[in-house]
Amino acid sequence: MIRRIRRLVRLVVPDRKGLSLAWSTIRGRKGGFVGSFVAIAAGSAVITACGILLMSGLSSGVAPERYSGAAVVLGGEQSYWLDESSEVRYSERVTLPADKVAAVAAVPGVRSAVGDVDVEVGVLAPDGRAVGGPDGFPVVGHGWSAAVLGPFAVRAGSAPAGPDEVVLDAGLAARAHVSPGATVRLVVGSVASPYRVVGVAAPPGGELGRQSAVFFTDGRAAELSGRPDRVDAIGVRAGPDVTPEQLAGRITAAVPGVVAHTGAERGDVEFLDVGDARSLVVETSASFGGTMVLIVVFVVASTLALSVRQRGRELALLRAIGATPRQIHRMIGAEMTLVSLAGALVGAIPGVVIAFVMRGVFVLAGAMPADFRMDVGWLPFLASLVLCMTSARLGGWLVARRVSGTSPVEALGDAAVEPGRIGRVRLAIGFLLVPLGLLLTSGEVAVSGDSAADTAASAVLLFVVALGCVGPLLIRGAVVLFGPRLNRQSKAPGFLAQANARADARRLASAVTPLAMGVTLAAVQVFGASTTIAASQEQLDAGLRADHVLTSSSGAGVSPEVVDGVRGVPGAAVATPVARMRVLLTFPSEDSTATKVFAAQGVAPERLSETMDLKVVEGDTAELRGETVALSRAVADTVHAQRGGTVDLRLGDGTAVRPRVVAVYERGSGFGDVTLPNDLVVAHTTARVDTAVLVRSADGTDPKALADALRGAVGRYPTVQVGGQEAFKAAPGGGGSGDWALNLLFQTVLLGYIAIAVVNTLVMATAARVREFAMLQLIGADRAQVRAMMNGEARIVVFSALLFGLLATIPPLVGISLGLTESPVPSVSPFGLVGLVAIVAVTVALSWGSIAVATRSALRPAPVDAIGGRE
């Protein structure tokens, strides 16, 4: 056993002599290793960036402000755990029963426990100005007892004692130009009420950075929250001789149903957006980083395979003079160790820049707060180094298997010719994946737990893999069918380009295949997004029947009492409140269950079709009362729900319900895939308000006169504004509006790496043909003719990549369009056309540019010198 381990170590870890020989080989063949070096360096940069984001999500975030004086902060379980490592964050705050405060206070080591509630507040200064938090952050109200968690100290005045008294934090008081004794109007929901400022308080740091605080009496704060029997969080101050971690362990053991946070994690409870960002960053960076490791393995293996093919005679000669397969393995392994070490170290520095660029996209997409701190430690660099070296060694091992397993006689015979036919297993896999992909995109078959559109979108991977398997065969066919037409203008160079392409189709396919894969992925992303956006917009335009829309100018929402005031306005036929959130549906999937997130809306069922036509195909939305639900057709098919049955649903705050399905409708992309009773949704949102109110005018009513009447009716609500249909379309939705930006980010990084791989392959394959170019010149061809020949090959590469790449996009796009719009024709918007032009331009630039530059470099040496040079 020990001998085997020693042999394995000697095989994997090169000795000094092996490293010296590998370094000599690399110095003598720099061009052959540049491709692998660049591929590893680019992979190292991306993996380092993902590692920095991952570590930032795990250990960084935003420091607590109001809870900085608490050793432990307790909150509800803000995530639904799909398994031990994967979670889905609830869109609303998960609260705790108020009686948990006393239970926590009784735990040994607890000095005091304070329940805290958050009430979003709008502040109107005495001169009527709206005053917000610093840098656009919100103003939040709390009970005065929670001030000790800052701890906040009264700088002027006194603590609030009556229901109409408040204390402002110092920064807010300065921005509002108020002092103790002044009166301010505070807006909770949509209702404004006067309060007397009795004090100004400040935390130890002087001012709050990402919020402003208003302190009420505890009773008034509980009343304004709408949940007097619940608290948003519990701050715990520790007694002597106990660490926060020890205290957190004691509390969770003694009090069930609470989640303890210490250190920087306390900010996750105080700021929900920070916890959401932390979860998203960890999940996406880990997933994408793992994907990049696999891609690095394949790209390095592909690049190294081309390099090894160019060294065919050298390796064949080594086998012929007695080199053993193990020695070949160790030689290639030592070479890859040095190349991967250099590439990983060089790529790590740009990885820091990429990490901050990715952070900027997260912020732009609204998926990460702008003050989320990045943790640039040494661990991501070490992990990138280990992963890149391991990936490169694995890629080298895969290539060395074929070389070392060939007998010396076969090696010498194979060195001068292209390898024979493609393996039968490879061809079988490629040809089987095509009908499987067509079946998945037809709309007749969907993967369990996915809608038809989701299944069609995921099927693109099958076509991409199929391209990789049968690429050389497709290239030969393209050369035979289209080669003469592509090179009609140049007879002799065109003939040579076609002959080269036919004779060495594998070399050409090594560049065309990843380029076609990139075209497929990019085209599906562009046209899939345009089809999704167009379907949503079309459904909104067709289904929105309201003439006027009430929304909040501050974005805080519209209070339910506004609806009652609007319904009595002359000329207003119907007023429909709409609240939005994200919900989780759990449903059977094969032998277990699956859980997915869907955008939901809560509506009042009375005369709903007059303000919002969901295009009901089964049932009646008038039955939306109590624990009932209406589902879009796509979601009903996905979760296998039928009218009259029930579904397992978790609301935005984690409350589990089993509503009865009363209707199925078509327009889920435009309005939300799940529709619930309005009062059920509002009761489980953080602010307990509506997103908008839709108003339909009575027949014969002048729309302008009704708009004026509505403005008069809501005049006592300073944040409510009257607008048209565009106001509803722009209102915050329940889904992740920044998902498209994140998808675009990761697709761009992935396609960028594929582009590097393509350029590497083309440059290496072209630059290695120095002797071929020299021989052509010695038998009479001039440099212009050689360049014309390479331009002919470039035309074949570009045409083949675009042809096969775009053909592979047709089935997925047809499936996506069928699933979303029931039409097989995808949407072709101006955005899509611009994207298509960009795809073609990038493909041409990468292919033609790489071949042209490499050809110019290969033609520099004199033919007489080049013909006798190294292979």
Side-chain angles (χ1 to χ4, degrees), residues 497-845:
Q498 297 173 57
N500 286 333
R502 285 196 300 268
D504 206 356
R506 281 200 174 185
R507 171 183 57 79
L508 211 61
S510 63
V512 172
T513 300
L515 199 57
M517 291 178 178
V519 169
T520 301
L521 292 173
V524 169
Q525 177 73 16
V526 169
F527 288 104
S530 66
T531 300
T532 302
I533 294 171
S536 176
Q537 190 63 45
E538 180 182 345
Q539 291 186 6
L540 265 175
D541 292 340
L544 189 57
R545 302 290 181 83
D547 300 307
H548 305 284
V549 179
L550 308 184
T551 56
S552 171
S553 60
S554 64
V558 181
S559 294
E561 51 262 37
V562 175
V563 181
D564 297 330
V566 168
R567 283 175 175 158
V569 174
V574 186
T576 302
V578 181
R580 287 172 170 168
M581 66 165 46
R582 286 183 296 144
V583 299
L584 280 66
L585 280 174
T586 301
F587 50 92
S589 176
E590 298 178 351
D591 296 332
S592 60
T593 60
T595 300
K596 296 192 70 174
V597 182
F598 297 100
Q601 62 175 356
V603 299
E606 293 82 12
R607 302 171 65 180
L608 176 63
S609 61
E610 296 184 34
T611 56
M612 178 190 298
D613 182 9
L614 297 177
K615 197 177 180 180
V616 176
V617 295
E618 186 180 355
D620 189 354
T621 54
E623 300 178 27
L624 279 172
R625 290 180 175 84
E627 289 194 1
T628 56
V629 65
L631 302 175
S632 69
R633 176 184 53 82
V635 170
D637 292 341
T638 299
V639 304
H640 316 297
Q642 296 179 347
R643 181 192 174 196
T646 59
V647 292
D648 291 325
L649 185 145
R650 287 182 180 271
L651 298 169
D653 64 349
T655 302
V657 294
R658 285 184 59 85
R660 178 172 55 90
V661 180
V662 297
V664 177
Y665 56 92
E666 287 287 349
R667 292 177 174 145
S669 297
F671 294 95
D673 285 309
V674 178
T675 299
L676 294 157
N678 178 261
D679 55 355
L680 180 63
V681 172
V682 169
H684 294 277
T685 57
T686 302
R688 301 172 70 86
V689 293
D690 292 306
T691 305
V693 179
L694 307 180
V695 181
R696 176 71 179 268
S697 59
D699 294 338
T701 303
D702 180 18
K704 184 177 180 182
L706 178 57
D708 293 337
L710 290 174
R711 292 189 182 94
V714 302
R716 54 181 172 168
Y717 305 111
T719 60
V720 177
Q721 58 187 5
V722 180
Q725 292 186 352
E726 294 302 321
F728 181 76
K729 297 173 183 178
S737 59
D739 288 351
W740 65 270
L742 298 183
N743 288 335
L744 182 61
L745 166 66
F746 292 121
Q747 287 285 348
T748 301
V749 175
L750 177 60
L751 294 174
Y753 191 74
I754 292 177
I756 292 173
V758 170
V759 171
N760 264 340
T761 302
L762 287 172
V763 170
M764 288 178 61
T766 305
R769 298 167 67 182
V770 174
R771 297 177 67 187
E772 175 189 338
F773 295 163
M775 182 175 294
L776 288 173
Q777 293 178 80
L778 289 175
I779 61 176
D782 57 28
R783 295 193 175 192
Q785 290 175 315
V786 174
R787 284 196 292 269
M789 177 190 73
M790 295 307 297
N791 285 337
E793 291 191 25
R795 281 191 287 271
I796 294 174
V797 170
V798 172
F799 177 80
S800 301
L802 290 174
L803 173 66
F804 299 126
L806 293 176
L807 283 177
T809 65
I810 294 176
L813 289 177
V814 169
I816 292 172
S817 184
L818 282 172
L820 293 175
T821 66
E822 297 186 322
S823 168
V825 182
S827 171
V828 182
S829 62
F831 167 76
L833 292 176
V834 171
L836 179 61
V837 172
I839 291 171
V840 174
V842 170
T843 303
V844 172

Side-chain angles (χ1 to χ4, degrees), residues 296-588:
V296 168
V297 172
F298 290 121
V299 170
V300 171
S302 175
T303 308
L304 187 59
L306 181 61
S307 174
V308 169
R309 280 190 56 205
Q310 294 171 356
R311 298 167 58 191
R313 289 187 175 89
E314 172 190 326
L315 297 175
L317 182 60
L318 288 175
R319 292 286 287 119
I321 63 177
T324 65
R326 179 177 296 176
Q327 289 173 322
I328 298 295
H329 262 292
R330 296 187 67 179
M331 181 185 73
I332 294 178
E335 292 169 357
M336 290 314 300
T337 297
L338 293 177
V339 172
S340 62
L341 176 62
L345 292 176
V346 169
I349 303 303
V352 179
V353 178
I354 294 176
F356 279 89
V357 171
M358 294 173 73
R359 174 189 178 277
V361 176
F362 272 85
V363 173
L364 180 65
M368 177 187 290
D371 56 346
F372 193 93
R373 294 176 300 174
M374 297 289 283
D375 183 9
V376 185
W378 58 270
L379 194 57
F381 298 98
L382 178 61
S384 175
L385 179 65
V386 172
L387 290 172
C388 286
M389 292 186 68
T390 303
S391 301
R393 288 299 303 267
L394 179 58
W397 178 79
L398 292 173
V399 173
R401 280 186 63 194
R402 181 183 181 276
V403 178
S404 61
T406 307
S407 68
V409 176
E410 291 176 345
L412 286 172
D414 289 344
V417 298
E418 179 181 336
R421 298 178 179 178
I422 304 173
R424 294 181 180 178
V425 175
R426 177 176 172 179
L427 283 178
I429 293 174
F431 286 124
L432 285 175
L433 288 177
V434 174
L436 179 59
L438 291 174
L439 183 64
L440 292 178
T441 57
S442 65
E444 300 298 326
V445 178
V447 177
S448 180
D450 285 340
S451 66
D454 293 335
T455 302
S458 60
V460 67
L461 297 178
L462 299 181
F463 292 101
V464 166
V465 175
L467 277 176
C469 291
V470 300
L473 199 62
L474 295 176
I475 296 302
R476 290 195 183 100
V479 171
V480 172
L481 291 176
F482 304 106
R485 293 180 177 84
L486 294 173
N487 293 286
R488 281 185 300 184
Q489 297 178 349
S490 53
K491 295 183 179 179
F495 172 80
L496 288 176
Q498 297 173 57
N500 286 333
R502 285 196 300 268
D504 206 356
R506 281 200 174 185
R507 171 183 57 79
L508 211 61
S510 63
V512 172
T513 300
L515 199 57
M517 291 178 178
V519 169
T520 301
L521 292 173
V524 169
Q525 177 73 16
V526 169
F527 288 104
S530 66
T531 300
T532 302
I533 294 171
S536 176
Q537 190 63 45
E538 180 182 345
Q539 291 186 6
L540 265 175
D541 292 340
L544 189 57
R545 302 290 181 83
D547 300 307
H548 305 284
V549 179
L550 308 184
T551 56
S552 171
S553 60
S554 64
V558 181
S559 294
E561 51 262 37
V562 175
V563 181
D564 297 330
V566 168
R567 283 175 175 158
V569 174
V574 186
T576 302
V578 181
R580 287 172 170 168
M581 66 165 46
R582 286 183 296 144
V583 299
L584 280 66
L585 280 174
T586 301
F587 50 92

Side-chain angles (χ1 to χ4, degrees), residues 75-164:
E77 179 54 80
Q78 198 63 43
S79 299
Y80 179 84
W81 291 90
L82 303 175
D83 51 47
E84 293 182 357
S85 59
S86 181
E87 64 177 317
V88 177
R89 294 277 294 184
Y90 294 119
S91 60
E92 310 296 326
R93 182 180 289 278
V94 179
T95 58
L96 296 171
D99 56 14
K100 294 282 187 184
V101 178
V104 172
V107 174
V110 173
R111 178 183 172 189
S112 64
V114 180
D116 184 29
V117 295
D118 290 352
V119 180
E120 191 164 348
V121 176
V123 180
L124 301 178
D127 57 3
R129 292 182 301 109
V131 182
D135 299 325
F137 285 114
V139 179
V140 185
H142 312 275
W144 176 248
S145 62
V148 71
L149 302 176
F152 283 81
V154 177
R155 285 188 175 180
S158 61
D164 61 343

Side-chain angles (χ1 to χ4, degrees), residues 119 121-124 126 139-144 147 154-170 172-173 176 178-188 193-201 213-221 224:
V119 180
V121 176
V123 180
L124 301 178
V139 179
V140 185
H142 312 275
W144 176 248
V154 177
R155 285 188 175 180
S158 61
D164 61 343
E165 297 179 351
V166 294
V167 170
L168 308 183
D169 79 73
L172 178 61
V178 298
S179 58
T183 299
V184 294
R185 297 176 70 203
L186 301 183
V187 183
V188 178
S193 302
Y195 289 85
R196 187 165 60 91
V197 179
V198 296
V200 174
V214 175
F215 293 99
F216 303 89
T217 61
D218 290 347
R220 183 58 173 161
L224 292 175

